[in-house]
Amino acid sequence: MHDIRAIRENPELYEKAWAAKGSSGKAAEAIALDAKLRAAQTAGQAAQAERNEASKKIGQAKARKDEDEAQRLMAQVEALKAGQAQHAEAEREAAEALKALLSSLPNIPFPDVPAGADEHHNVEVRRWGEPFAISNPKDHVDLGESAGLLDFEAAVRMSGARFTVLKGQLARLERAIGQFMLDLQTQEHGYLEVAPPLLVNDAAAYGTDKLPKFAEDLFQTTDGRWLIPTAEVPLTSLVMDQIVAEEELPLRFTALTPCFRSEAGASGRDTRGMIRQHQFNKVELVSIVAPEKSEEEHERMVGCAEAVLKRLELPFRTMLLCTGDMGFGARKTYDLEVWLPSQGKYREISSCSNCGDFQARRMDARTKKAGEKGTRFVHTLNGSGLAVGRTLVAIMENYQDEGGRIAIPQALHPYLPGITHIGGKA
């Protein structure tokens, strides 16, 4: 959500940002709706003042037994009352239209975000590790199916496309990856583990900018709740409608949860394997901070996500997304892309975003300093630390040998005692 006062004060900034995302003229439209809303409010207040004055005169007319004047004034009050109702309706309509418009418009980028229309204009910030030298690498589908540890056909029979069944040691490896990530983020990086609900209401989905724009990307239950597309939704919603003491900030939360996405806009993309699924596990990172700390926290969060890949010794690069490739609610986003030998390229495995006060305004999440009267909106940040399924894919492909066996990264040995390899021919 945007601050209409900020738009009035600097419409060019907002117009330029929104025009870059295909929403030209929206600043002028917002200002016009705001003017209509304020005009209705002013007219309503004027009518109320006039009605109060007329009501006062009715008593005076009755006191001097001027019944004709009293009747005239009462008719005037009734007319003013009807006019007030019209002004109230005009105010309601303008307020709803303004909220709908502002809710549909994306966040504006920070000044240091590179301009660009799509992923081709993203900027590589750094690279870690050298891609594994693997002759004729197999993809994770062939590796898993040949070992009898991945079963896509069974998943299709029971659930349809974009689901999978993991079996045996591969299922155990996936569980180990998630546990390793949680332990790293909680024990070394100071995140508080949370076990949140997997179903949320409209307010939580709206507050984290998933509604109304991305309703088709979500799964909804028959009672109107939403399956979470990421734990960002319930973790950030922990501060919804709250005033957090500034002395308690930053708040850092993490959770390992299933995530559910309809992938409505992904027709024909990554149909093979586990890269793009309707259901997957992910470790999420969320930070709630004071406004002046959000940029520093953003860099810290990216480092926490990068640490997972470094411990697993998986080659990756860190990308700063351009204006046209950022998510709806982000002011700045870094993507981590892991090397996949079968594709011969880097693929996204984490996205870490600073949303500024965009989500906080939608969910009314504020902070207050001790001894001060005023409150400020907090800044919210979220990132993957990491997507478990994609990490499993990266391990399978980067740690394969010529016989199809998959070596277990050293960092996971404590979670898989006595196991150094899995897979190979079933």
Side-chain angles (χ1 to χ4, degrees):
M1 182 63 79
H2 298 280
D3 182 358
I4 186 61
R5 290 172 298 181
I7 298 171
R8 287 200 304 264
E9 291 168 3
N10 194 353
E12 295 82 8
L13 170 68
Y14 287 85
E15 181 57 32
K16 181 180 179 181
W18 291 333
K21 292 201 169 188
S23 298
S24 297
K26 297 302 181 181
E29 186 178 344
I31 290 172
L33 283 172
D34 177 55
K36 187 176 180 180
L37 170 60
R38 289 190 291 153
Q41 290 171 333
T42 300
Q45 292 165 358
Q48 181 63 54
E50 193 175 351
R51 181 180 167 188
N52 291 343
E53 183 63 24
S55 297
K56 181 173 147 186
K57 289 180 179 178
I58 290 172
Q60 294 171 347
K62 284 184 176 290
R64 63 176 184 268
K65 301 190 183 303
D66 188 346
E67 200 57 38
D68 289 343
E69 178 64 6
Q71 290 297 323
R72 186 189 70 78
L73 288 167
M74 284 190 282
Q76 182 182 354
V77 166
E78 286 302 310
L80 288 167
K81 184 178 179 181
Q84 271 187 285
Q86 292 177 345
H87 296 316
E89 178 62 17
E91 180 181 343
R92 184 192 64 78
E93 290 178 355
E96 288 183 356
L98 180 59
K99 181 179 179 180
L101 175 64
L102 295 179
S103 296
S104 72
L105 293 169
N107 208 345
I108 62 171
F110 282 129
D112 61 340
V113 172
D118 53 37
E119 63 186 26
H120 298 101
H121 297 95
N122 296 339
V123 175
E124 184 174 319
V125 176
R126 54 185 166 268
R127 190 174 291 207
W128 187 91
E130 291 296 324
F132 287 62
I134 301 172
S135 300
N136 301 314
K138 297 179 180 178
D139 72 6
H140 66 283
V141 178
D142 289 339
L143 289 165
E145 287 185 331
S146 65
L149 301 177
L150 265 182
D151 194 337
F152 291 101
E153 290 184 4
V156 168
R157 289 197 301 271
M158 69 179 79
S159 302
R162 296 193 188 276
F163 291 92
T164 189
V165 173
L166 303 179
K167 296 179 178 179
Q169 290 185 330
L170 195 62
R172 188 176 176 186
L173 175 57
E174 196 223 22
R175 177 159 51 90
I177 292 168
Q179 188 61 58
F180 158 72
M181 292 176 180
L182 271 184
D183 287 348
L184 177 61
Q185 303 302 349
T186 57
Q187 296 174 15
E188 298 189 30
H189 297 154
Y191 287 87
L192 176 68
E193 183 177 354
V194 176
L198 304 182
L199 291 168
V200 296
N201 59 23
D202 284 355
Y206 174 83
T208 48
D209 61 65
K210 305 302 177 278
L211 291 180
K213 187 173 179 63
F214 301 105
E216 69 171 9
D217 295 327
L218 309 179
F219 288 110
Q220 189 173 28
T221 62
T222 54
D223 66 358
R225 283 177 281 205
W226 305 88
L227 286 167
I228 62 169
T230 163
E232 168 204 343
V233 177
L235 292 181
T236 310
S237 296
L238 289 171
V239 295
M240 181 171 62
D241 296 324
Q242 301 297 303
I243 298 177
V244 182
E246 195 160 316
E247 293 72 23
E248 296 178 11
L249 300 178
L251 299 176
R252 298 185 178 115
F253 304 122
T254 188
L256 169 59
T257 68
C259 304
F260 306 91
R261 298 183 185 177
S262 72
E263 296 292 349
S267 178
R269 295 171 57 197
D270 296 310
T271 55
R272 178 176 168 84
M274 296 172 58
I275 295 295
R276 198 174 296 276
Q277 299 269 282
H278 288 311
Q279 175 186 325
F280 57 94
N281 293 322
K282 180 158 69 81
V283 171
E284 185 71 6
L285 307 175
V286 162
S287 294
I288 312 296
V289 302
E292 59 274 8
K293 296 291 187 179
S294 66
E295 292 189 64
E296 176 186 335
E297 183 70 14
H298 194 196
E299 299 298 326
R300 180 189 188 277
M301 178 179 282
V302 174
C304 292
E306 290 177 335
V308 178
L309 293 171
K310 290 178 180 178
R311 295 288 179 90
L312 295 173
E313 300 181 79
L314 291 170
F316 70 92
R317 65 180 184 176
T318 301
M319 305 293 291
L320 174 60
L321 301 196
C322 69
T323 52
D325 200 33
M326 284 199 307
F328 180 79
R331 295 205 68 182
K332 185 176 183 179
T333 298
Y334 291 102
D335 272 5
L336 306 187
E337 298 179 349
V338 69
W339 178 257
L340 292 187
S342 70
Q343 298 184 18
K345 62 182 179 181
Y346 292 92
R347 294 297 306 269
E348 180 197 340
I349 197 168
S350 172
S351 188
C352 297
S353 297
N354 184 350
C355 297
D357 65 2
F358 188 76
Q359 294 179 328
R361 287 181 178 278
R362 295 169 77 106
M363 65 173 59
D364 195 22
R366 300 170 183 263
T367 185
K368 181 179 181 297
K369 272 187 178 179
E372 294 187 2
K373 291 184 178 179
T375 62
R376 300 186 293 166
F377 289 108
V378 297
H379 280 197
T380 64
L381 302 93
N382 62 79
S384 303
L386 307 164
V388 177
R390 292 193 179 191
T391 305
L392 177 64
V393 168
I395 289 173
M396 293 172 70
E397 294 200 6
N398 283 285
Y399 280 87
Q400 64 179 290
D401 64 20
E402 292 183 2
R405 288 196 315 162
I406 300 158
I408 305 299
Q410 190 70 34
L412 297 179
H413 284 189
Y415 301 88
L416 296 162
I419 303 175
T420 60
H421 294 77
I422 66 170
K425 294 294 183 181

